[in-house]
Amino acid sequence: MSSARASAHRAALASSNPGKARELEALWPGWSIEPLDMALAPAEEGSTFWANALEKARFGRTLAPEIPWVLGEDSGIEASALGGAPGLRSARFAGAEASDEQNVNRLIAAVAAASDRRVRYVSELSGIGLDGTVLRGRGILAGTLAHAPRGSEGFGYDPIFIPDGESATVAELGDGWKARHSHRAQAARALRQAIEALS
Protein backbone atom coordinates (compact mmCIF):
# COMPACT_ATOMS: atom_id res chain seq x y z
CA MET A 1 0.00 0.00 0.00
CA SER A 2 1.41 3.42 -0.94
CA SER A 3 1.84 6.07 1.74
CA ALA A 4 -0.85 8.19 0.05
CA ARG A 5 -3.31 5.32 0.11
CA ALA A 6 -2.41 4.50 3.73
CA SER A 7 -3.07 8.11 4.70
CA ALA A 8 -6.44 8.09 2.93
CA HIS A 9 -7.45 4.94 4.80
CA ARG A 10 -7.19 6.59 8.18
CA ALA A 11 -10.00 7.56 10.52
CA ALA A 12 -10.63 8.63 14.08
CA LEU A 13 -13.53 7.36 16.17
CA ALA A 14 -15.18 9.89 18.47
CA SER A 15 -15.02 7.58 21.47
CA SER A 16 -12.54 7.30 24.33
CA ASN A 17 -13.10 3.53 24.31
CA PRO A 18 -10.12 1.91 22.51
CA GLY A 19 -12.07 -1.35 22.34
CA LYS A 20 -14.67 0.22 20.05
CA ALA A 21 -11.93 1.56 17.80
CA ARG A 22 -10.32 -1.90 17.60
CA GLU A 23 -13.68 -3.51 16.85
CA LEU A 24 -14.32 -1.06 14.03
CA GLU A 25 -10.79 -1.44 12.68
CA ALA A 26 -11.34 -5.20 12.48
CA LEU A 27 -14.46 -4.53 10.39
CA TRP A 28 -12.53 -2.20 8.06
CA PRO A 29 -9.51 -4.19 6.82
CA GLY A 30 -6.75 -1.94 5.55
CA TRP A 31 -7.87 1.03 7.64
CA SER A 32 -6.22 2.59 10.68
CA ILE A 33 -8.76 3.82 13.24
CA GLU A 34 -7.76 5.61 16.41
CA PRO A 35 -9.95 6.61 19.38
CA LEU A 36 -10.26 10.26 20.36
CA ASP A 37 -10.25 11.62 23.90
CA MET A 38 -13.89 12.60 24.39
CA ALA A 39 -13.52 13.72 28.01
CA LEU A 40 -14.77 17.23 27.16
CA ALA A 41 -17.48 16.10 24.75
CA PRO A 42 -20.96 17.55 25.29
CA ALA A 43 -23.66 15.34 26.79
CA GLU A 44 -25.68 13.21 24.39
CA GLU A 45 -28.91 15.13 24.03
CA GLY A 46 -30.12 14.06 20.58
CA SER A 47 -33.59 12.61 20.11
CA THR A 48 -32.34 9.76 17.89
CA PHE A 49 -29.32 7.48 17.62
CA TRP A 50 -28.39 9.26 14.38
CA ALA A 51 -28.47 12.69 16.02
CA ASN A 52 -26.13 11.50 18.76
CA ALA A 53 -23.78 9.77 16.31
CA LEU A 54 -23.58 12.91 14.19
CA GLU A 55 -22.96 15.16 17.20
CA LYS A 56 -20.11 12.91 18.33
CA ALA A 57 -18.54 13.03 14.88
CA ARG A 58 -18.88 16.81 14.70
CA PHE A 59 -17.18 17.22 18.07
CA GLY A 60 -14.53 14.69 17.10
CA ARG A 61 -13.80 16.65 13.92
CA THR A 62 -12.74 19.62 16.09
CA LEU A 63 -10.19 17.35 17.79
CA ALA A 64 -8.83 15.80 14.61
CA PRO A 65 -8.79 18.44 11.85
CA GLU A 66 -6.17 16.61 9.75
CA ILE A 67 -7.52 13.06 9.79
CA PRO A 68 -9.41 12.17 6.58
CA TRP A 69 -12.52 10.81 8.33
CA VAL A 70 -13.94 11.25 11.80
CA LEU A 71 -16.59 8.76 12.89
CA GLY A 72 -19.33 8.90 15.50
CA GLU A 73 -21.47 5.98 16.66
CA ASP A 74 -24.53 5.53 18.82
CA SER A 75 -26.49 2.38 19.39
CA GLY A 76 -28.92 0.67 21.70
CA ILE A 77 -31.67 -1.86 22.15
CA GLU A 78 -35.40 -1.27 21.64
CA ALA A 79 -38.10 -3.49 23.14
CA SER A 80 -41.52 -3.57 21.45
CA ALA A 81 -43.33 -4.14 24.74
CA LEU A 82 -41.78 -0.95 26.13
CA GLY A 83 -42.58 1.25 23.16
CA GLY A 84 -38.96 1.23 22.01
CA ALA A 85 -37.30 1.64 25.42
CA PRO A 86 -34.55 1.50 26.62
CA GLY A 87 -33.53 3.05 23.27
CA LEU A 88 -31.29 6.07 23.79
CA ARG A 89 -31.01 5.17 27.48
CA SER A 90 -29.76 1.63 26.85
CA ALA A 91 -26.43 2.20 28.62
CA ARG A 92 -28.17 3.91 31.53
CA PHE A 93 -31.42 1.93 31.77
CA ALA A 94 -30.80 0.89 35.38
CA GLY A 95 -29.14 4.19 36.35
CA ALA A 96 -26.38 6.56 35.30
CA GLU A 97 -23.58 4.30 36.54
CA ALA A 98 -25.33 0.98 35.90
CA SER A 99 -23.33 -2.10 34.94
CA ASP A 100 -24.22 -4.29 31.98
CA GLU A 101 -25.60 -6.89 34.40
CA GLN A 102 -27.84 -4.33 36.09
CA ASN A 103 -29.19 -3.09 32.76
CA VAL A 104 -29.85 -6.65 31.60
CA ASN A 105 -31.69 -7.53 34.81
CA ARG A 106 -33.85 -4.41 34.61
CA LEU A 107 -34.86 -5.14 31.02
CA ILE A 108 -35.74 -8.74 31.89
CA ALA A 109 -37.90 -7.51 34.76
CA ALA A 110 -39.52 -4.78 32.65
CA VAL A 111 -40.85 -7.25 30.06
CA ALA A 112 -41.44 -10.20 32.42
CA ALA A 113 -45.22 -9.99 32.16
CA ALA A 114 -45.35 -9.03 28.48
CA SER A 115 -46.37 -11.46 25.74
CA ASP A 116 -44.40 -9.48 23.17
CA ARG A 117 -40.70 -10.19 23.62
CA ARG A 118 -39.57 -8.67 20.31
CA VAL A 119 -36.43 -6.53 20.49
CA ARG A 120 -34.02 -4.99 18.05
CA TYR A 121 -30.52 -3.58 18.16
CA VAL A 122 -29.97 -0.33 16.26
CA SER A 123 -26.61 1.19 15.33
CA GLU A 124 -26.03 4.52 13.62
CA LEU A 125 -22.55 5.38 12.37
CA SER A 126 -21.68 8.81 10.98
CA GLY A 127 -18.59 9.87 9.06
CA ILE A 128 -17.43 13.42 8.40
CA GLY A 129 -14.74 14.03 5.78
CA LEU A 130 -12.17 16.81 5.61
CA ASP A 131 -14.41 18.79 3.27
CA GLY A 132 -17.42 18.48 5.57
CA THR A 133 -19.06 15.63 3.65
CA VAL A 134 -21.41 13.69 5.95
CA LEU A 135 -22.07 10.00 5.30
CA ARG A 136 -24.23 7.53 7.18
CA GLY A 137 -24.23 3.82 7.96
CA ARG A 138 -27.20 2.18 9.71
CA GLY A 139 -27.62 -1.36 10.97
CA ILE A 140 -30.54 -3.20 12.59
CA LEU A 141 -30.55 -6.66 14.16
CA ALA A 142 -33.99 -8.01 15.07
CA GLY A 143 -34.67 -10.72 17.62
CA THR A 144 -36.40 -11.78 20.81
CA LEU A 145 -35.53 -11.38 24.47
CA ALA A 146 -34.35 -14.43 26.40
CA HIS A 147 -35.80 -15.07 29.86
CA ALA A 148 -32.35 -15.26 31.47
CA PRO A 149 -28.76 -14.40 30.47
CA ARG A 150 -26.81 -17.02 28.53
CA GLY A 151 -23.29 -16.97 27.11
CA SER A 152 -20.03 -15.23 27.96
CA GLU A 153 -18.95 -13.31 24.86
CA GLY A 154 -19.97 -9.84 23.75
CA PHE A 155 -21.19 -7.16 26.12
CA GLY A 156 -24.24 -5.07 26.98
CA TYR A 157 -27.49 -6.90 26.29
CA ASP A 158 -25.87 -9.69 24.24
CA PRO A 159 -26.56 -12.39 26.88
CA ILE A 160 -30.34 -11.92 26.49
CA PHE A 161 -30.61 -11.10 22.78
CA ILE A 162 -31.63 -14.01 20.52
CA PRO A 163 -31.35 -12.96 16.85
CA ASP A 164 -34.07 -13.99 14.41
CA GLY A 165 -33.26 -17.38 12.93
CA GLU A 166 -31.11 -18.41 15.89
CA SER A 167 -31.78 -20.29 19.13
CA ALA A 168 -28.70 -19.00 20.94
CA THR A 169 -28.07 -15.54 22.36
CA VAL A 170 -25.53 -13.21 20.79
CA ALA A 171 -23.26 -13.88 23.78
CA GLU A 172 -23.43 -17.61 22.98
CA LEU A 173 -22.97 -17.11 19.23
CA GLY A 174 -19.75 -15.23 19.95
CA ASP A 175 -17.62 -12.44 18.62
CA GLY A 176 -17.02 -14.11 15.26
CA TRP A 177 -20.76 -14.19 14.60
CA LYS A 178 -21.07 -10.57 15.72
CA ALA A 179 -18.35 -9.47 13.32
CA ARG A 180 -20.46 -10.80 10.44
CA HIS A 181 -24.03 -10.10 11.52
CA SER A 182 -24.34 -7.53 14.31
CA HIS A 183 -26.08 -4.19 13.94
CA ARG A 184 -22.72 -2.44 14.36
CA ALA A 185 -21.10 -4.63 11.71
CA GLN A 186 -23.93 -3.80 9.30
CA ALA A 187 -23.56 -0.06 9.97
CA ALA A 188 -19.78 -0.26 9.59
CA ARG A 189 -20.03 -2.04 6.23
CA ALA A 190 -22.57 0.47 4.95
CA LEU A 191 -20.46 3.47 5.96
CA ARG A 192 -17.25 2.01 4.58
CA GLN A 193 -18.93 1.34 1.24
CA ALA A 194 -20.23 4.92 1.15
CA ILE A 195 -16.76 6.34 1.91
CA GLU A 196 -14.95 4.14 -0.58
CA ALA A 197 -17.51 4.97 -3.27
CA LEU A 198 -16.22 8.54 -3.17
CA SER A 199 -12.66 7.54 -4.06
Side-chain angles (χ1 to χ4, degrees), residues 110-136:
V111 301
S115 59
D116 184 356
R117 301 188 69 82
R118 298 287 301 163
V119 289
R120 70 175 191 170
Y121 272 143
V122 179
S123 174
E124 290 279 9
L125 190 60
S126 63
I128 300 180
L130 287 172
D131 63 356
T133 297
V134 175
L135 298 177
R136 180 180 189 176

Side-chain angles (χ1 to χ4, degrees), residues 1-80:
M1 178 182 295
S2 69
S3 59
R5 182 172 173 80
S7 177
H9 285 69
R10 183 177 173 222
L13 178 64
S15 170
S16 300
N17 186 337
K20 283 191 175 183
R22 286 194 301 269
E23 181 181 15
L24 189 56
E25 195 170 62
L27 295 169
W28 286 23
W31 282 74
S32 172
I33 299 175
E34 58 193 77
L36 296 174
D37 183 359
M38 298 290 284
L40 299 178
E44 295 179 13
E45 297 179 345
S47 60
T48 64
F49 292 121
W50 168 246
N52 284 336
L54 186 57
E55 184 61 29
K56 289 177 186 177
R58 284 174 172 157
F59 179 79
R61 175 48 79 196
T62 68
L63 304 178
E66 303 301 324
I67 295 179
W69 288 94
V70 174
L71 315 177
E73 193 266 349
D74 197 28
S75 57
I77 188 171
E78 299 176 339
S80 295

Side-chain angles (χ1 to χ4, degrees), residues 102-164:
Q102 290 170 324
N103 286 326
V104 162
N105 289 338
R106 181 173 180 197
L107 184 55
I108 290 174
V111 301
S115 59
D116 184 356
R117 301 188 69 82
R118 298 287 301 163
V119 289
R120 70 175 191 170
Y121 272 143
V122 179
S123 174
E124 290 279 9
L125 190 60
S126 63
I128 300 180
L130 287 172
D131 63 356
T133 297
V134 175
L135 298 177
R136 180 180 189 176
R138 176 177 170 85
I140 294 176
L141 182 66
T144 56
L145 199 68
H147 291 275
R150 306 194 316 253
S152 59
E153 293 195 39
F155 57 90
Y157 296 89
D158 290 349
I160 55 172
F161 192 106
I162 303 172
D164 286 350

